[in-house]
């Protein structure tokens, strides 16, 4: 008899099968059960359980003259502390200023093996208005909300492809489904009127028409540490910024630090962080080599910083509807639109970057991270929140403590507690 495919099995049968094949213990199954959320079961295929990540709030962040608390979801111990530290350094009247010039999502209709690219290009150019009309007929409600297909671009890509790029204002939505449906409708229109081979129709995550820029100026004195004056710190930050523009090995790590903040906000706000990641790194390579996304320079007595990112974030629809925490997070951050969300996300990225660079060029990154790393090491060996401070206390004197040393510290703490 044919076996029922895994995805067709009822939840319990799937879980039991996995338990049997993977030799899961009763305790492990209890952990899976404890995290199960009925609402998530229909969201993905072969649902097993819900994998939770910690959410915290970055404070002291001043963006466009408004001080805000920004929810962030991350597993990395130092990220939220760094965002808040960076924010604390950037508290001029306006704080970080953000600009979003336009917010359009691009869709591509890709034509392949086009024998007469000049002829097809001429036809597409002559029928631009008609194509935009077809696109806008797909979702008339989008036009009603002030959105819609705005323009198009035709690119010939050697040796034999063409890309018809549609730029669509998707309002407050993330817009992936919307753009894909519009592109498919335009593809059908092309197939009806031209003899072309449509290879695919899909949005592009390289969101060059949804760029956001975060700018800031900070008096150099604010950057001083206990042992280094502010101007020297600022000069060293500029040097680090220049280096990341010249060395891709450093640029990747520099940008990873920025994405620590960006991804954590994107996740908290229910957006697609894979889209943001791939777009950001393509943008970092736009000059032909991979470079830093941010730039820092000295002018008079101020350190200036700028970060530009492609960030086509949505404020409504998609996962924002599915996860109740998203609406709460939007409320905590007092964000009321997609453009505002784009600005705040870039601002967090810039603050995160400043905090990392300042630590790197002064006392080194490990110093500030140590306390948080010890905490997460203690938790990883099974310390309860009540035991963590004592375990951390025992590990503090150890250089690069290992898991075995953390386990030993936990045992010692438990012995002491038993005797109390
Ligand atoms: C660690 O997650 C991020 C940093 O490596 C970023 C950087 O080096 O700029 C500290």
């Amino acid at each position: 008899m044919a076996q029922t495919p895994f995805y067709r099995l009822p939840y319990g049968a799937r879980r039991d099968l996995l338990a049997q094949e993977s030799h899961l213990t009763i305790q492990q199954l209890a952990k899976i059960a404890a995290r199960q959320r009925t609402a998530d079961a229909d969201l993905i295929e072969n649902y097993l359980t819900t994998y939770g990540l910690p959410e915290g709030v970055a404070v002291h962040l001043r963006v466009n003259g408004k001080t805000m608390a920004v929810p962030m979801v991350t597993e990395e111990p130092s990220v939220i502390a760094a965002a808040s530290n960076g924010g604390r350094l950037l508290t001029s009247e306006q704080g970080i200023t953000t600009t979003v010039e336009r917010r359009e999502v691009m869709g591509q209709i890709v034509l392949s093996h086009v024998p007469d690219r000049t002829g097809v290009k001429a036809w597409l150019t002559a029928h631009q208005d008609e194509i935009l009309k077809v696109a806008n007929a797909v979702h008339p409600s989008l036009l009603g909300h002030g959105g819609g297909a705005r323009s198009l671009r035709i690119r010939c890509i050697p040796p034999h492809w063409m890309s018809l790029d549609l730029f669509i204002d998707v309002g407050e939505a993330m817009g992936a489904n919307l753009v894909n449906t519009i592109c498919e409708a335009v593809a059908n229109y092309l197939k009806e009127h031209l003899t072309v081979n449509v290879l695919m129709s899909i949005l592009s995550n390289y969101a060059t028409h949804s760029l956001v820029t975060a700018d800031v100026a900070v008096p150099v004195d604010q950057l001083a540490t206990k042992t280094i004056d502010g101007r020297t710190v600022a000069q060293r930050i500029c040097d680090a910024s220049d280096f990341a523009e010249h060395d891709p090995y450093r640029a990747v790590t520099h940008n990873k630090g920025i994405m620590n903040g960006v991804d954590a906000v994107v996740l908290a706000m229910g957006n697609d962080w894979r889209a943001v990641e791939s777009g950001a790194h393509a943008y970092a390579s736009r000059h032909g080599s991979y470079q830093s996304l941010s730039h820092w320079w000295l002018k008079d007595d101020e350190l200036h910083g700028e970060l530009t990112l492609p960030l086509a974030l949505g404020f409504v629809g998609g996962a924002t509807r599915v996860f109740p925490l998203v609406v709460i997070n939007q409320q905590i951050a007092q964000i009321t639109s997609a453009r505002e969300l784009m600005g705040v996300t870039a601002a967090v990225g810039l603050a995160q970057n400043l905090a990392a660079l300042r630590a790197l060029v002064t006392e080194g990154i490990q110093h500030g991270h140590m306390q948080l790393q010890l905490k997460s090491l203690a938790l990883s060996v099974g310390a309860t929140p009540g035991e963590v401070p004592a375990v951390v206390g025992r590990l503090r004197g150890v250089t690069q403590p290992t898991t075995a040393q953390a386990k030993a510290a936990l045992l010692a703490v438990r012995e002491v507690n038993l005797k109390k």
Side-chain angles (χ1 to χ4, degrees):
M1 203 175 71
Q3 258 194 342
T4 313
F6 190 73
Y7 77 95
R8 287 242 186 106
L9 291 174
Y11 175 79
R14 276 204 311 263
R15 185 201 50 211
D16 293 349
L17 191 61
L18 271 180
Q20 199 185 343
E21 303 261 316
S22 324
H23 310 292
L24 298 180
T25 63
I26 290 178
Q27 289 83 351
Q28 287 172 320
L29 280 170
K31 283 187 180 151
I32 288 174
R35 286 162 178 78
Q36 205 190 316
R37 255 179 36 120
T38 321
D40 291 352
D42 293 326
L43 210 56
I44 56 166
E45 185 134 314
N46 297 344
Y47 176 78
L48 180 63
T49 189
T50 294
Y51 184 109
L53 282 172
E55 174 177 325
V57 179
V59 289
H60 308 304
L61 210 77
R62 198 163 166 75
V63 185
N64 300 325
K66 194 163 108 184
T67 301
M68 45 177 50
V70 185
M72 298 173 75
V73 173
T74 178
E75 88 301 345
E76 190 169 326
S78 57
V79 164
I80 296 180
S84 299
N85 274 340
R88 205 193 318 259
L89 296 168
L90 306 173
T91 48
S92 62
E93 203 183 318
Q94 278 302 300
I96 303 172
T97 309
T98 66
T99 331
V100 178
E101 259 162 37
R102 62 181 156 177
R103 186 177 168 279
E104 289 169 10
V105 177
M106 184 187 123
Q108 290 190 273
I109 298 117
V110 181
L111 311 180
S112 183
H113 296 283
V114 188
D116 171 22
R117 287 194 289 171
T118 317
V120 172
K121 187 170 182 177
W123 190 92
L124 292 172
T125 310
H127 290 80
Q128 287 194 42
D129 291 347
E130 192 58 31
I131 293 169
L132 290 176
K133 246 188 230 154
V134 171
N136 282 323
V138 179
H139 282 287
S141 62
L142 190 60
L143 280 183
H145 287 97
R150 292 269 179 263
S151 57
L152 58 79
R153 176 174 72 185
I154 304 148
R155 289 179 301 136
C156 291
I157 297 147
H160 57 78
W161 297 282
M162 291 183 76
S163 178
L164 173 62
D165 303 337
L166 290 179
F167 297 100
I168 301 162
D169 179 342
V170 292
E172 291 295 317
M174 267 177 264
N177 286 330
L178 216 120
V179 170
N180 291 339
T181 318
I182 291 176
C183 286
E184 286 181 10
V186 170
N188 286 338
Y189 168 80
L190 297 187
K191 282 189 243 170
E192 275 165 28
H193 292 82
L194 287 167
T195 322
V196 283
N197 169 19
V198 175
L199 185 63
M200 65 175 87
S201 310
I202 185 78
L203 99 165
S204 167
N205 289 122
Y206 190 20
T208 53
H209 285 57
S210 293
L211 293 179
V212 49
T213 297
D215 286 288
V216 83
V218 47
V220 291
D221 291 345
Q222 250 165 265
L223 298 166
T225 66
K226 278 185 198 139
T227 51
I228 312 178
D229 67 273
R231 178 165 290 277
T232 307
V233 176
Q235 279 162 344
R236 290 176 67 82
I237 289 174
C238 294
D239 200 20
S241 167
D242 286 349
F243 182 57
E245 271 166 50
H246 287 84
D247 177 36
Y249 283 88
R250 174 56 205 154
V252 169
T253 323
H254 178 108
N255 290 345
K256 189 271 182 186
I258 293 170
M259 301 316 281
N260 273 344
V262 168
D263 285 346
V265 179
V266 170
L267 257 172
M269 299 298 178
N271 272 255
D272 180 347
W273 51 270
R274 286 87 56 209
V276 168
E277 277 285 332
S278 49
H281 299 298
Y283 194 68
S285 312
R286 69 195 180 285
H287 298 304
S289 65
Y290 189 92
Q291 295 183 350
S292 49
L293 287 160
S294 68
H295 178 58
W296 295 92
W297 69 100
L298 247 178
K299 191 165 166 237
D300 305 325
D301 288 333
E302 286 183 327
L303 174 72
H304 289 252
E306 185 177 279
L307 167 68
T308 299
L309 278 174
L311 268 187
L313 301 181
F315 186 70
V316 297
T320 64
R321 246 194 320 231
V322 180
F323 297 108
L325 273 175
V326 172
V327 173
I328 297 171
N329 291 343
Q330 292 172 340
Q331 192 176 328
I332 292 173
Q334 295 178 33
I335 290 173
T336 54
S337 72
R339 282 170 181 252
E340 233 183 305
L341 175 59
M342 289 161 69
V344 169
T345 308
V348 171
L350 191 64
Q352 198 85 42
N353 184 224
L354 177 64
L357 293 184
R358 180 167 175 266
L360 283 167
V361 301
T362 56
E363 61 198 0
I365 209 78
Q366 286 309 89
H367 179 80
H369 281 191
M370 204 35 99
Q371 180 76 5
L372 291 159
Q373 276 166 0
L374 292 181
K375 247 175 144 179
S376 86
L377 182 60
L379 286 168
S380 76
V381 295
T384 61
E387 292 167 334
V388 167
V391 176
V392 168
R394 282 176 180 266
L395 293 173
R396 203 168 285 132
V398 186
T399 341
Q400 305 219 329
T402 59
T403 305
Q405 284 167 314
K407 279 185 184 158
L410 177 59
L411 279 179
V413 167
R414 286 186 177 162
E415 265 171 39
V416 171
N417 288 346
L418 270 179
K419 286 183 195 147
K420 276 184 189 164

